Amino acid sequence: FQVNLMPDWSGNCTPANPASGGPIFSNYKTVDMIGGPVMVNGTVSNVDPRMVSRYGKRDDQITAIGWKNELKVGAWKTEADLSYSKATRDEFKGEITASPTALSGFTNFYNEVGNGASFYPTTLNWATPGVVQLRGIGEWGNLNGVSKVGTGSPISVTDEMQAMRLSAKRDLEWGAVSNFEGGVNFTDRKKSNTSSTTIYALKNGVKCFGGDNCLPIPANMVQAPADLSFAGNPALVSFDMRDFLASSLYNQGVEGADQAPGRIWGVKEKATTFFGKVGLDFTAGIPVHGNVGVQVVKTDQSSTGMAWDNVNNVAKPMTGGASFTDVLPSLNLTGDLGSNTLMRFGAAQVMARPDMEAMRAGFGSVSVIKEGPKIGTPTASGGNPQLEPWRATAVDLSLEKYFGKRSYISAAAFHKKLQSTIYNQTDYAYNFTGLPNIGTASTVIGEYSRPANGDGGVVRGTELSVALDGGLLHPSLDGFGVVASMSDTTSNVAGQKTKNGDRDL
């Protein structure tokens, strides 16, 4: 259960018409906080508190299978690695509202503004089913003009990936070159999301104040009261939403069709990677080993989605996608300085794929700003099927000293030059004409937010870390230890500069 014990702020502190539902406070105290005074205790009447009974069920299934073969052909060692994985999520989330059928209040309440719990002693016995009834809430929506008493949202997500990797490797004795490995890696990933919302409205009942439908909770739905004494309410009427869904107390209908398109989408991503690298082993004053290589990544991505056609009042399909190729060279070297001390150097062109949901096509539901200087302006968000990866040139250098098998101390420096980033971009002059239903908006020009690629930036810093095995200090401490790190990072990404230090222990 979630209980909304705060008043309905539809009126002033002392409204001219108390029946309006505006709260009336007395004997209250306030404390000054950022943004102004905050009420911390007192008495309040003429409020409209609501109780929400929530139910959720989620079923996740994960399937994974792999097949790997190795074959030696002369001096070559070949490898074939096939894999398949699939994750599905079937979920239902729902809620039913209930409340007293008349305005009520709280006596000598305490509102916590720091650490702790708030305390709201009620003026009503919330454990009595006759006092607390099922109730539609008009401002939360309606079905055919009847206030909704609850909602149910089924959600289905499928994430599936097939992968194949073919490689060949052999040892070599070509001066500093010790071995060679090359091959191809192919992945095919698909992710889809389908969700909707059903509105429940009471078939019968009487009109409560405000014109909302109320209906007593049937006796066969009432359970043992819930204990809310920690919040100032000795007991709270309890019922299971599943009993409500199994009853014949309600009519149901799909929430506005114009709200659904942003919840239905699919993304496909195919990536083919050709790779090759040679191992290095040589002496340059000190023993050095490592590798140098390159990857060529060809990516094809596409997405389907939906947007609301406000002219014909139907959802229309949307598609989009992109193709691009990345060349990613890399160099990794490790020098042995002796006395269990190593120096490592790495330089590479790297990339990181965006989240699948960020690449969805389609248009999310539209809301309208209700207050402030932009009142009446439509706003919405969506995905970007043309979204490309993070790309950067990375250079890393570290010095590491090892003590036994599990202890070390290291100092590292890193520098990443970002060629492209991913951030949330807002178009403040987006034309919503013919797309989602903008309802009460006073203009068709609004704000549309979606992921976009930035021009880049820099991330650089230093890091110190240590791992200490207690066995170095005393045999009785073997198996115990401490790991600690400290880093300092400076970044300049998409024109926004930040500097922060963090310590993890």
Side-chain angles (χ1 to χ4, degrees), residues 457-482:
V458 174
V459 178
R460 62 178 179 270
T462 56
E463 181 176 17
L464 299 174
S465 60
V466 60
L468 179 63
D469 178 11
L472 293 175
L473 304 177
H474 193 277
S476 64
L477 297 177
D478 187 52
F480 295 89
V482 174

Side-chain angles (χ1 to χ4, degrees), residues 265-297:
W265 52 267
V267 175
K268 297 180 181 180
E269 178 187 87
K270 294 182 179 180
T272 303
T273 304
F274 298 94
F275 62 92
K277 69 176 181 179
V278 294
L280 302 175
D281 197 344
F282 58 93
T283 299
I286 58 172
V288 178
H289 67 273
N291 57 69
V292 60
V294 64
Q295 299 181 80
V296 179
V297 185

Side-chain angles (χ1 to χ4, degrees), residues 106 116 179 277 409:
F106 304 95
N179 60 68
K277 69 176 181 179
I409 182 171

Side-chain angles (χ1 to χ4, degrees), residues 10 31 88 107 114 120 139 142 158 191 230 249 260 267 309 475 488:
S10 58
V31 296
T88 61
T107 60
Y120 280 81
E139 63 266 32
N142 67 81
T158 300
K191 185 173 183 178
F230 67 92
L249 299 175
V267 175
D309 183 342
D488 183 80

